[in-house]
Amino acid sequence: MAGREQFIAVQKNGDGDLTAFKTSTGRVLNYEQALQEVNAGAIAGVNIFKGRDGGMYIRGDADGDPSNNLDNLPRFE
């Protein structure tokens, strides 16, 4: 789908868990908002998976390029 936003930066908590995302249009989404946007197909390059704990999590699409993994995106304040 053309024109979808992408995540360009992330915020992490003290444990290194992702807590918020900045999109290519400058919007800042908390984790719950980001889950909803990804689920709606509004964000390119990511998908949702169900963790062992039953929670839903966002991860980058497996494309073999580690540079665009969510953990490797720049951080923002």
Side-chain angles (χ1 to χ4, degrees):
M1 187 187 320
R4 290 193 299 172
E5 292 177 89
Q6 294 180 300
F7 293 140
I8 59 165
V10 296
Q11 283 182 346
K12 296 182 182 183
N13 65 15
D15 293 331
D17 298 324
L18 299 172
T19 57
F21 301 87
K22 184 180 277 188
T23 72
S24 49
T25 63
R27 293 189 307 139
V28 174
L29 306 174
N30 68 31
Y31 205 92
E32 195 57 41
Q33 292 168 318
L35 270 174
Q36 292 171 4
E37 297 259 347
V38 172
N39 202 35
I43 309 292
V46 292
N47 62 77
I48 295 175
F49 73 99
K50 189 172 194 170
R52 287 190 194 96
D53 61 3
M56 302 306 282
Y57 298 96
I58 300 168
R59 66 178 169 197
D61 289 343
D63 60 5
D65 180 1
S67 72
N68 64 13
N69 288 356
L70 295 177
D71 269 342
N72 294 335
L73 290 176
R75 295 196 185 189
F76 72 96
E77 293 303 316

